[in-house]
Amino acid sequence: MVGSKEEKMVGKQDIRPSQLLRLGKQSSVHPAVQGLTLESKLADCSSSQEKYARAKKILADTPVVAASSLATATHSLFSWRRFSICIVDESSLVLESSLIGALLSSDRFVLVGDAKQLKPLVQSKEARVVSSVASSLFYDGRLSCANEKVAEACLNSAHERYEGRSEESKEVFSSSLTVALDGSIDNSAIFIDVPSGNEEGKDEMDDSPLSTTVSISTGGIVNEREVEIVKKLVEEFTKRGLPTSSIGVAAVYNKQVDLLRRSIPTGIEVNTVDKWQGRDAERSELLSDEKRINVALTRAKYKMIFIGCVRSMREKCPIVASVIDRLT
């Protein structure tokens, strides 16, 4: 595993160039070792056949291969070649997941580093917004993005035609709907409170008094007001240029899914959180399942909107209450 410091050291070692290979694009490695890249070693090939044969031999026979930790996780070499030993420098700065490929392709490995110094640096806004809730609740804060492009992804960046912010939304819609439609990364994960039962409160979608009754019968559990809110959101998202294929709706109960499918436009995927294994049961039972909540939290790429009754969730579902605490 190499960084800029290690590249300089490699360039100074008394080893023949034929015994060293630096994986990575020539333009992205240190000037001292650019001649050791595969690109450089193949530069004088006169035909594609010669280039293929030489590349195959270099990859298979070069005794010392230097690469960044991310390269070892993605380069095909580590899927078929076996090494006698893998040496990882500054190992305390490397995420464990990026080392698995290299370690599994080696008979032995040596980790060099100081665990008392800095941890791996993860510059990931998505890990703090869309995925931050699942990361903190279920992954000890280790859930992260593969690269900065993924980390910065939001509706505004992923869909050029999407217009989440508009004068109309500011003037006509409530603050909650305006935030829900906002495509910026700052509002990538939100919770909309819809009071249920006999609770007195304000409907966050239109600032009017609301008392929503949840229907529980042999047919299942249904909340019609939440369905209305989802329908309104879907209509506004599509008006602003978001393709229906990019919108997904998940509900906990089968009956709620049936009503949602009848209410919103075709082309939008609607399923239970369990998808084809959804089942109705006591509300607290389904919503107290950590794995089910984790599935719901990690479905979204660019925008995550939770809709429900804050009071009910706090009383009956500690896991969902933790989600609410992180989104409100």
Side-chain angles (χ1 to χ4, degrees), residues 195-206:
S196 62
N198 297 320
E199 180 181 359
E200 294 182 359
K202 295 289 185 180
D203 185 349
E204 289 197 358
M205 299 304 291
D206 58 17

Side-chain angles (χ1 to χ4, degrees), residues 136-157:
S136 61
L137 287 177
F138 307 113
Y139 298 102
D140 297 325
R142 296 185 178 183
L143 193 63
S144 60
C145 301
N147 53 57
E148 192 64 20
K149 183 178 180 180
V150 174
E152 298 288 345
C154 58
L155 286 181
N156 287 345
S157 63

Side-chain angles (χ1 to χ4, degrees), residues 10-75:
V10 167
K12 294 179 180 179
Q13 299 307 306
D14 187 19
I15 303 175
R16 295 193 304 274
S18 60
Q19 296 177 308
L20 284 168
L21 173 64
R22 171 64 167 97
L23 293 181
K25 292 183 179 180
Q26 187 172 356
S27 59
S28 63
V29 303
H30 194 276
V33 294
Q34 285 184 350
L36 301 177
T37 63
L38 186 61
E39 181 182 350
S40 177
K41 292 174 182 286
L42 301 177
D44 61 345
C45 291
S46 58
S47 66
S48 58
Q49 290 83 359
E50 181 186 0
K51 182 178 290 187
Y52 174 78
R54 186 184 296 184
K56 184 177 180 180
K57 180 174 177 58
I58 290 172
L59 290 171
D61 298 339
T62 304
V64 181
V65 177
S68 67
S69 59
L70 291 179
T72 65
T74 58
H75 200 285

Side-chain angles (χ1 to χ4, degrees), residues 191 287-288 293 306 313-314 317-325:
F191 190 97
L287 292 177
S288 295
I293 298 303
F306 274 85
M313 296 301 100
R314 291 193 187 283
C317 309
I319 296 298
V320 181
S322 297
V323 173
I324 294 171
D325 291 338

Side-chain angles (χ1 to χ4, degrees), residues 7-209:
E7 285 185 328
K8 294 177 183 177
M9 293 176 62
V10 167
K12 294 179 180 179
Q13 299 307 306
D14 187 19
I15 303 175
R16 295 193 304 274
S18 60
Q19 296 177 308
L20 284 168
L21 173 64
R22 171 64 167 97
L23 293 181
K25 292 183 179 180
Q26 187 172 356
S27 59
S28 63
V29 303
H30 194 276
V33 294
Q34 285 184 350
L36 301 177
T37 63
L38 186 61
E39 181 182 350
S40 177
K41 292 174 182 286
L42 301 177
D44 61 345
C45 291
S46 58
S47 66
S48 58
Q49 290 83 359
E50 181 186 0
K51 182 178 290 187
Y52 174 78
R54 186 184 296 184
K56 184 177 180 180
K57 180 174 177 58
I58 290 172
L59 290 171
D61 298 339
T62 304
V64 181
V65 177
S68 67
S69 59
L70 291 179
T72 65
T74 58
H75 200 285
S76 61
L77 174 65
F78 297 94
S79 66
W80 58 268
R81 181 175 169 181
R82 187 143 196 93
F83 295 86
S84 299
I85 189 168
C86 172
I87 302 174
V88 184
D89 193 23
E90 297 290 1
S91 58
S92 63
L93 296 177
V94 182
L95 290 171
E96 295 92 327
S97 57
S98 65
L99 291 179
I100 293 175
L103 299 186
L104 291 178
S105 64
S106 306
D107 296 330
R108 295 175 296 167
F109 63 87
V110 178
L111 303 181
V112 182
D114 186 348
K116 299 296 184 180
Q117 294 186 16
L118 294 175
K119 296 179 180 180
L121 174 62
V122 180
Q123 294 178 323
S124 168
K125 287 190 177 180
E126 189 193 33
R128 294 193 297 270
V129 184
V130 173
S131 300
S132 64
V133 182
S135 180
S136 61
L137 287 177
F138 307 113
Y139 298 102
D140 297 325
R142 296 185 178 183
L143 193 63
S144 60
C145 301
N147 53 57
E148 192 64 20
K149 183 178 180 180
V150 174
E152 298 288 345
C154 58
L155 286 181
N156 287 345
S157 63
H159 300 277
E160 294 180 358
R161 296 179 56 190
Y162 183 73
E163 299 179 0
R165 290 184 180 273
S166 66
E167 292 304 317
E168 178 189 13
S169 64
K170 293 178 182 178
E171 297 175 2
V172 178
F173 302 123
S174 69
S175 58
S176 292
L177 182 53
T178 300
V179 172
L181 297 173
D182 181 19
S184 69
I185 194 168
D186 292 333
N187 289 315
S188 294
I190 68 169
F191 190 97
I192 297 176
D193 183 21
V194 182
S196 62
N198 297 320
E199 180 181 359
E200 294 182 359
K202 295 289 185 180
D203 185 349
E204 289 197 358
M205 299 304 291
D206 58 17
D207 295 326
S208 62

